[in-house]
Amino acid sequence: MCSSDLSRVTSSEGFPRSARGKYVHVVTFVAQSVRNPFAGFGIALVAVIAVALLPLSLLERLPPVRGKYRPCVAIADLVWFRVGGPAEVMFRPEDRDDLADFLRSRPRDVPVMAIGVGSNLLVRDGGIDGVIIRCGRGLSEISVEGDRITAGAGALDGNVALTAQQHGLGGLEFLSGIPGTIGGGLRMNAGAYGREMVDVLVEAEAVDGEGRVHTVGPQDLGFRYRHCAAPEDWIFTKAEIGRAHV
């Protein structure tokens, strides 16, 4: 995990260059420097065979996306406890469709985990293998229509509470006491001051591990105290919420 083969840069076309490419360039230079053409050809042939036998890095195995991949991300810089080893790869999808395409096309042996702002996350020193998904700007938008708010999974609970206050919508004040995101709030039925997500949720949207999009109501999610029964491979992408209905 996070080997030198993962320490690669991105080309102007958006495709990363790996240690394989650097290896080929070095060996090709050496081969061209050899005066004996047969010896040079032999070195080049050995190089081609050696490169073919090198294992692909995780980044090289992942599908093309419109969002961004980042290798070896320091999780300690992202979580509130400021501890934990690196994430092998972090993916920030451009939007829901980008996330769905990634989940549909990713290698099935690569583990995937979604995180929010890391306010309730403790990561081991060994880090996290596979791909960590963190909502980008396209999954963090907040909009208001009538007495309901639609918020992306990456929207901060506090920002949603502030938006409700600015539009004169009551019943969502409890969100200001939850240090997390709407997506995380759905996953654990987060709550404060006697209210929780199940009390205000109208509809939620999620993408499963195969890239299929699901739209469900609170009755479909098996909510109970700090628990949601949604399948483990579901990643919430947005929620429509309104005044408390209990």
Side-chain angles (χ1 to χ4, degrees):
M1 175 174 138
C2 287
S3 65
S4 59
D5 193 36
L6 276 175
S7 300
R8 60 191 200 170
V9 298
T10 302
S11 69
S12 58
E13 295 82 13
F15 295 98
R17 301 191 195 99
S18 69
R20 290 167 164 259
K22 297 176 184 177
Y23 181 75
V24 170
H25 286 309
V26 170
V27 177
T28 301
F29 174 77
V30 172
Q32 291 173 346
S33 301
V34 176
R35 294 184 178 180
N36 186 328
F38 295 104
F41 175 77
I43 293 175
L45 180 60
V46 170
V48 171
I49 295 173
V51 169
L53 294 177
L54 282 174
L56 291 173
S57 71
L58 177 55
L59 276 175
E60 289 171 314
R61 299 179 59 208
L62 297 178
V65 294
R66 288 181 288 111
K68 294 182 180 179
Y69 292 131
R70 287 178 56 203
C72 294
V73 175
I75 289 293
D77 293 339
L78 303 176
V79 300
W80 289 25
F81 289 112
R82 297 301 180 193
V83 296
E88 191 170 5
V89 173
M90 177 170 285
F91 170 44
R92 300 199 73 167
E94 186 72 21
D95 50 33
R96 184 203 67 185
D97 291 340
D98 194 27
L99 172 62
D101 289 343
F102 165 80
L103 291 171
R104 192 178 302 117
S105 305
R106 68 183 170 88
R108 287 298 175 263
D109 63 323
V110 175
V112 170
M113 174 182 176
I115 66 172
V117 291
S119 58
N120 193 30
L121 183 64
L122 187 62
V123 179
R124 67 189 182 95
D125 291 340
I128 305 175
D129 293 332
V131 179
I132 297 300
I133 297 174
R134 198 176 195 207
C135 293
R137 190 170 300 174
L139 288 169
S140 302
E141 297 177 350
I142 303 171
S143 61
V144 180
E145 185 173 349
D147 61 353
R148 294 182 178 178
I149 292 179
T150 298
L156 294 174
D157 296 325
N159 288 345
V160 176
L162 180 60
T163 299
Q165 185 268 329
Q166 292 171 341
H167 287 79
L169 301 178
L172 301 175
E173 297 85 352
F174 76 96
L175 290 172
S176 64
I178 303 174
T181 62
I182 290 297
L186 290 171
R187 177 51 73 179
M188 65 173 294
N189 190 24
Y193 308 121
R195 291 268 171 85
E196 50 193 3
M197 288 298 294
V198 65
D199 299 330
V200 298
L201 180 65
V202 177
E203 191 174 83
E205 180 185 86
V207 181
D208 67 23
E210 300 299 320
R212 295 182 293 256
V213 179
H214 303 265
T215 301
V216 294
Q219 71 279 0
D220 303 312
L221 293 173
F223 284 127
R224 60 177 189 268
Y225 183 76
R226 302 300 174 265
H227 176 80
C228 170
E232 289 296 321
D233 69 336
W234 279 25
I235 298 177
F236 287 106
T237 53
K238 70 178 181 181
E240 181 180 335
I241 57 178
R243 299 177 186 276
H245 44 71
V246 295

